[in-house]
Amino acid sequence: MKRIVIDCDPGNGIPGANVDDGLALALALASDSIKLELITIVAGNTPRDTGYRVACQMLKELNVTIPVVKGAAQALLEPAEPWREQLDNNVRKQGLLSLWDNLPALPAVADISTPHAAQAIGELVCNNPGEITVVAIGPLTNIAHTIQLYPDFARSVAEIVIMGGVFQLDNYLKDTNFAVDPEAAKIVIESGANITLAPLDVTTQTMLTHQDLDQLQNYNNPLSNFIVRTTRPWMDYSIQTRHLPGCWIHDVLCVAQLIDREIATTSAYIVDVSTAQDCTRASSRRWKEGALRLTVGMQPVTHQPINVMDQVNNQRLLKVIFHALEKYH
């Protein structure tokens, strides 16, 4: 079994918050080939304390005991307030809060989160060199803190699978995960660790529909019921605001790729994340090793290439999800 940590910013059941972290957690919990040993929480899609409550509530409903540890409540340098205003209040401004009316309010949970996420991740990875994969599906603040605190982390981690970045997608200059903390993204991308990146270019090739949720609902187990119940309002929100037939499922791709490497093709690229204080901030660029870069103003780069996903087989992805969740008990 592949031993993993999931560092995330879950929002299942929170009005206006994406639910793809919850689906990623669900797949990891349900898969026979994965052992989820630690869940760490970072501010992003939801505030850190909200994400912590979501993860704890999910595990409570499933009667599963896995350590859930809080990490960073804000980015290394990027101001949190503009992002919190956008991410937490857009649904209210759009008049779509009623989509979540049928979901109960998230209950309070006891805060037993110790130690800090960076310490929990660093100790687990460095005490088990080459054995732990980190799936990082929120802003990379916790992972950057880990790299800063544990010099052996980058060479001890088996793999870091990241959802983040955007390269050649119409109407997108940057993605939320990198934009919430571009300094952290740069630190992690340049760390020298074995990295696989799922950028927005490829995660927007995924799609989950209400018909897919109907199939999951037929499984009628605690995990599928949680996913269906919390995903339907977000899917309706996605359909209304993004004019999609369902919703993208960005984060789960990072877990599914560990189960079935044929779900997505990858290519080796050198990747750079801009930390400039201008309109390019948090944007990402990629190029083949040895290729001439034509982008003006970028600093010389010496770090090694990483694996970047470029094409996804969505039906194969859904098959992996359905297969795992159907047999969950």
Side-chain angles (χ1 to χ4, degrees), residues 153-165:
F153 173 80
R155 59 177 172 266
S156 297
V157 68
E159 183 179 11
I160 308 175
V161 187
I162 298 167
M163 193 275 124

Side-chain angles (χ1 to χ4, degrees), residues 63 76 80 85 133:
N63 196 27
L76 299 180
E85 172 62 25
T133 293

Side-chain angles (χ1 to χ4, degrees), residues 89-236:
N89 295 319
N90 265 359
V91 65
R92 175 181 51 80
K93 293 177 181 178
Q94 294 165 324
L96 295 175
L97 274 172
S98 61
L99 293 175
W100 280 263
D101 280 353
N102 292 329
L103 287 185
L106 190 66
V109 297
D111 185 355
I112 55 173
S113 174
T114 56
H116 187 280
Q119 182 181 347
I121 296 168
E123 291 186 358
L124 180 62
V125 168
C126 293
N127 289 338
N128 299 274
E131 297 183 16
I132 309 296
T133 293
V134 174
V135 178
I137 50 180
L140 292 171
T141 318
N142 286 343
I143 312 305
H145 280 307
T146 305
I147 289 168
Q148 292 171 330
L149 291 170
Y150 293 84
D152 291 337
F153 173 80
R155 59 177 172 266
S156 297
V157 68
E159 183 179 11
I160 308 175
V161 187
I162 298 167
M163 193 275 124
V166 59
F167 301 107
Q168 293 177 310
L169 191 63
D170 290 346
N171 303 318
Y172 286 92
L173 175 64
K174 59 194 75 174
D175 82 295
T176 303
N177 282 352
F178 279 15
V180 167
D181 196 340
E183 278 76 19
K186 189 173 185 68
I187 287 169
V188 178
I189 291 297
E190 297 182 2
S191 67
N194 175 26
I195 292 174
T196 298
L197 181 69
L200 205 63
D201 311 59
V202 73
T203 63
T204 53
Q205 297 172 25
T206 69
M207 183 58 58
L208 187 75
T209 66
H210 277 299
Q211 291 73 27
D212 296 321
L213 291 181
D214 291 341
Q215 181 172 338
L216 292 176
Q217 192 162 21
N218 289 333
Y219 300 158
N220 194 28
N221 62 57
L223 186 54
S224 63
N225 290 344
F226 176 87
I227 292 300
V228 171
R229 183 181 80 244
T230 59
T231 300
R232 287 212 190 269
W234 168 259
M235 187 175 289
D236 288 334

Side-chain angles (χ1 to χ4, degrees), residues 309-327:
M309 298 187 201
D310 41 34
Q311 293 291 327
V312 170
N313 183 330
N314 189 63
Q315 289 307 307
R316 190 160 184 153
L317 170 62
L318 294 177
K319 184 178 179 180
V320 166
I321 295 169
F322 293 154
H323 176 73
L325 268 64
E326 181 179 17
K327 56 187 176 54

